[in-house]
Amino acid sequence: MIPVIGGLALNLAFGLSIVTIILLSFHLRTGDNRLYFSGQRAALAVSLLSFFATFVLAQLLMVSNFDVDYVAHYTSRETPTIYKITALWAGQSGSLLFWLFILSIYAVIAILQNQRSQQKLMPWVIIVITTVQLFFLILVNFVTNPFIPTEADFVVVNGLGLNPLLQNATMAIHPPMLYLGFVGFTIPFAFSIAAMAKKEMNALWMKTVRVWLLFVWLMLSIGIILGGWWAYQELGWGGYWAWDPVENASFMPWLTGTALMHSIIIQEKKNMLKFWNMILIIITFTLCIFGTFLTRSGIMSSVHSFTASSLGPIFLGFVFFILIVSFTLLFYRKTFLRSEKRIESFTSRESGFLFNNVVFVVMCFAVFWGTLFPVISEAVRGTKITVGAPFFNQINIPIGLVLLLLTGVGPLLVWRRTSRQSAVRNFMIPVSVGLMTALILFIFNMRGYVLISFTLSSFVLTTILIEFAKGIRSRMRSQHENVLVAFWRLMRKNRSRYGGYIVHVGIVLMFVGFTGHAFNSEKEFGLKVGEKEHLDNYQFELLRLSEEERPNHYAYIADLKLKDSDGKTITILHPEKRIYFHRSPDPNRRQPHSELDIYTLLNKDIYSIFNAIDTEKGVAYFKIMINPLVNWVWIGGYIFIFGTLIALFPSKKESVV
Amino acid sequence: MKKIILITTCSLLFGSINQQELIKDIEKSLMAPCCWSGTVNDHGHSELEQEIQSMVEAGQTKDQIMNHYVRIYGERILAIPVAQGFNIMAWLAPIIIAIIGITFLVLYLKSSTSKSLELDSISTGDESIPYNEQIEKELKELD
């Protein structure tokens, strides 16, 4: 009965979404406000019904109702409660419902928050949001319904269980964060379409769009960072980014979104680049839908892919629909979006932002092209090829380094025009620090990308430090404040600017972490109890091998003593080899999984993987990796998030507006 | 005699280091032919790893080993496509887009800056203001 109610809620939401669009379209034609209010309430009802359907599915998962095919596929009685909830987004239909759920949360917030302040735009905003909801409602109602009953003549006693790779705490947060980012771009997109349709783009619109963009961009960033963290902790290959098609799918909208975060500052401050920013918003939203297409079409092989399905053409159709409608509107509104002001000089901060935009877009294209190239090549040549991580590194490392350079150059340029004198003055110290770093690194025999990356990192950090120092000194002089008060007030008075600088510090530290990859070392070996092996200056001794049966897996646990070069014991690592679904009568269902153990230091990780066990010979096989500087990727990530949160809080001045 | 032993040890040692590097290099250049989502080095593939090791120890070159696997699995096994024919487009297209993007930007900036000079022949830009004063001016605006 309960699954039927869930299905009915989705049916009703589908019907009401069509009613919403019709009512609001008539309101736009006739100007009758009663139609608007009815449409707005219908839109809210669509969201409430979507919430209800999601809660019904969550409840079915929690109580292990295996009469529902989705529940039987993605959970079992042994699945821990937390992962029964996360199973909501583990499968095709559940994750589409989850997408709809998040979009509905955003829809309710956007409608209630702006119903008075943005009255003129709201009909269009609601139409766009509801159209996107309608698309997902079509999918969950007619293509892949999460409430479909199990196709079995007998009572299903137990479900298949959740993929062990997804049974990880990070996996409970990473997908929702990504969805919050991906889905969230719908709102600034809706406001942009509304602004173009109504030819209305005031300061309040700007503020609304900027805050939404910043928030969803932050969510997407957190989602991507957590994805890297999960891959590093769970997949057991010692890396965090594999240029997998689905990772790329999340990275592409992040790149155009980041370009937008920069160029929208020019629109906010100078009322310029409106046309370009619209293009970026449209592309970013389209890339979010395109990313979902990549995951669900089955055209790419990826660790993240859902099973190949008929969803591909439907998603592709929706992508083309968005592009055609948006760009047609953009074409008709090109005069409205034309800027009156002009960029005055090549050496201005505005130009710096534009160069940054071009580089971000080129990088996005490189990722897009590389991701799709196997499909294109197969269509053209009829031969299957692979474009793997080494290719993406080849193309994107130089582009990334150019972006790092621009991160340092940008703050040194002045709005409107930077004279030669001031350019020389501003660049003098950071360039000197960069050159000094390069020289020292060169003496220590570092070359190539490592040398360039560390040099640029020191250059950028110096520019940011100088920016802070100058701001603080200026306040100390003009306001007679001490250092701490000046620093605090400087941050408070202009959160977006100094928050942005903190984000840049985070990015630099992440680059330092990425560069550390060049110094990685690893070794694979087999050990019997009591035997020892060495890697770099560390000794690994297998102390003990034990076994343990747990509710949803069987584990072989190694106690691996780690000693430094002085023979001092540092720690005992406990990597595990687990067999999930070990009680399954079908041997093919039993799934081996390596649970890592990592010893973390500020400057390196010692990463132990229990690869395999030969129970007859009593030999355990390990892969040990020493990953220098990897933790700076995560530290940089925290700082990045902290900086964005600072920028997200409105300044006093803004809140008065 | 001691010298000979030393030389032999060194050559064996360096030989094995070079072999290890070659094995790593090959493992990084080949996709793991199970789920095709990572290289043999990243993803791991014990069968291929053993084969590569024995082929390297047998004195085969990287090209010979790569060609061996291309014959078995097709071009798909290569982590980076062979840079010939249509495949060159994999590198060329981003470069073309970068050139187009930068050209557009430079043309836009050229036309924009020249128009801006026409509109505002007496510059009121911030070039004459020293950087410190510029910051102070911006901060005052916020107070």
Side-chain angles (χ1 to χ4, degrees), chain A residues 236-237 242 244 272-273 301-303 339-346 349 351 354-355 358 361-362 365-366 369 373 376-377 380-381 383-391 394-395 399 411-419 421-422 425-426 466-467 470-475 477-479 490 493-494 497-498 501 522 524 623 653, chain B residues 24 27-29 31 35-44 49 73-82 84-95 97-99 101-102 105-117 119-120 123-132 134-143:
Chain A
W237 58 282
D244 175 275
M272 292 161 73
L273 301 182
S301 55
S302 154
V303 283
S339 303
E340 283 153 23
K341 289 185 184 168
R342 299 270 160 191
I343 289 177
E344 292 178 29
S345 163
F346 271 74
R349 194 173 285 185
S351 305
L354 282 180
F355 273 104
V358 169
V361 171
V362 168
F365 176 78
W369 184 248
F373 197 73
I376 297 166
S377 171
V380 174
R381 295 171 58 220
T383 313
K384 256 198 167 136
I385 62 158
T386 305
V387 175
F391 170 86
Q394 232 176 40
I395 298 271
I399 303 178
L412 300 176
L413 298 172
V414 178
W415 289 107
R416 298 182 74 185
R417 190 168 300 163
T418 314
S419 69
Q421 276 173 316
S422 71
R425 201 171 39 235
N426 301 346
I466 289 173
E467 277 292 300
K470 282 185 171 168
I472 291 168
R473 205 173 54 192
S474 170
R475 279 203 74 89
R477 207 182 306 146
S478 61
Q479 310 290 326
L490 187 73
K493 296 276 178 187
N494 196 349
R497 177 176 178 163
Y498 290 96
Y501 288 149
E522 61 179 61
E524 288 181 59
K623 183 174 184 177
K653 200 180 160 193
Chain B
K24 272 277 152 265
E27 285 180 359
K28 282 179 184 174
S29 310
M31 298 301 288
C35 46
W36 300 94
S37 62
T39 60
V40 174
N41 180 64
D42 292 339
H43 185 273
E49 284 167 26
Y73 297 101
E75 274 183 58
R76 200 185 171 198
I77 194 82
L78 304 174
I80 300 182
V82 186
Q84 63 184 32
F86 181 73
N87 285 353
I88 291 175
M89 283 308 291
W91 289 266
L92 215 55
I95 295 169
I97 292 293
I99 292 168
I102 290 168
L105 177 59
V106 170
L107 290 176
Y108 168 74
L109 287 176
K110 261 191 172 174
S111 77
S112 185
T113 48
S114 63
K115 276 182 191 162
S116 137
L117 282 175
L119 286 169
D120 187 6
S123 168
T124 53
D126 297 352
E127 62 188 326
S128 56
I129 308 174
Y131 187 68
N132 283 349
Q134 168 68 25
I135 285 196
E136 280 179 26
K137 194 183 139 208
E138 285 179 28
L139 290 171
K140 264 184 200 158
E141 282 170 13
L142 295 164
D143 281 326

Side-chain angles (χ1 to χ4, degrees), chain A residues 374-609:
Chain A
V375 181
I376 297 166
S377 171
E378 195 177 355
V380 174
R381 295 171 58 220
T383 313
K384 256 198 167 136
I385 62 158
T386 305
V387 175
F391 170 86
F392 285 101
N393 288 335
Q394 232 176 40
I395 298 271
N396 288 306
I397 289 176
I399 303 178
L401 290 174
V402 172
L403 278 174
L404 186 60
L405 172 71
L406 288 175
T407 310
V409 171
L412 300 176
L413 298 172
V414 178
W415 289 107
R416 298 182 74 185
R417 190 168 300 163
T418 314
S419 69
R420 188 169 293 176
Q421 276 173 316
S422 71
V424 170
R425 201 171 39 235
N426 301 346
F427 279 86
M428 182 75 85
I429 298 173
V431 169
S432 306
V433 171
L435 289 175
M436 283 288 287
T437 313
L439 186 68
I440 293 166
L441 294 173
F442 192 82
I443 292 167
F444 280 97
N445 215 19
M446 288 187 199
R447 300 288 186 273
Y449 286 143
V450 174
L451 178 76
I452 299 170
S453 176
F454 285 146
T455 302
L456 289 176
S457 298
S458 69
F459 164 70
V460 179
L461 279 180
T462 313
T463 62
I464 297 168
L465 281 176
I466 289 173
E467 277 292 300
F468 272 101
K470 282 185 171 168
I472 291 168
R473 205 173 54 192
S474 170
R475 279 203 74 89
M476 285 168 72
R477 207 182 306 146
S478 61
Q479 310 290 326
H480 308 291
E481 295 163 347
N482 67 38
V483 181
L484 289 176
V485 174
F487 173 74
W488 172 249
R489 294 211 172 132
L490 187 73
M491 297 284 292
R492 258 186 56 193
K493 296 276 178 187
N494 196 349
R495 286 177 177 148
S496 62
R497 177 176 178 163
Y498 290 96
Y501 288 149
I502 292 174
V503 170
H504 286 178
V505 171
I507 293 280
V508 171
L509 295 181
M510 289 171 96
F511 264 88
V512 169
F514 301 153
T515 312
H517 187 70
F519 306 101
N520 281 11
S521 53
E522 61 179 61
K523 195 172 190 179
E524 288 181 59
F525 48 80
L527 291 179
K528 285 183 178 173
V529 173
E531 286 183 339
K532 294 166 191 157
E533 260 292 349
H534 291 84
L535 174 60
D536 291 355
N537 290 323
Y538 296 101
Q539 186 198 73
F540 301 85
E541 182 187 352
L542 181 61
L543 289 182
R544 199 167 76 107
L545 264 177
S546 56
E547 299 171 31
E548 197 177 312
E549 187 171 13
R550 295 170 187 157
N552 62 345
H553 65 266
Y554 194 87
Y556 294 95
I557 307 144
D559 293 353
L560 206 54
K561 191 195 266 185
L562 174 65
K563 284 184 176 176
D564 63 13
S565 52
D566 302 329
K568 209 175 95 190
T569 302
I570 301 171
T571 188
I572 294 174
L573 296 162
H574 304 284
E576 296 182 7
K577 188 79 203 171
R578 294 179 176 176
I579 314 292
Y580 279 84
F581 314 122
H582 61 290
R583 290 201 198 103
S584 170
D586 176 9
N588 293 327
R589 281 275 303 140
R590 293 174 204 158
Q591 210 169 322
H593 171 76
S594 295
E595 190 68 18
L596 321 164
D597 196 6
I598 304 171
Y599 181 70
T600 296
L601 292 160
L602 202 57
N603 64 341
K604 71 178 79 163
D605 264 2
I606 297 167
Y607 191 92
S608 64
I609 310 157

Side-chain angles (χ1 to χ4, degrees), chain A residues 3 21 52 54 68 93 105 167 236 250 343:
Chain A
I21 295 166
F52 181 73
T54 313
V68 176
S93 53
I105 296 176
Q167 298 190 33
S250 66
I343 289 177

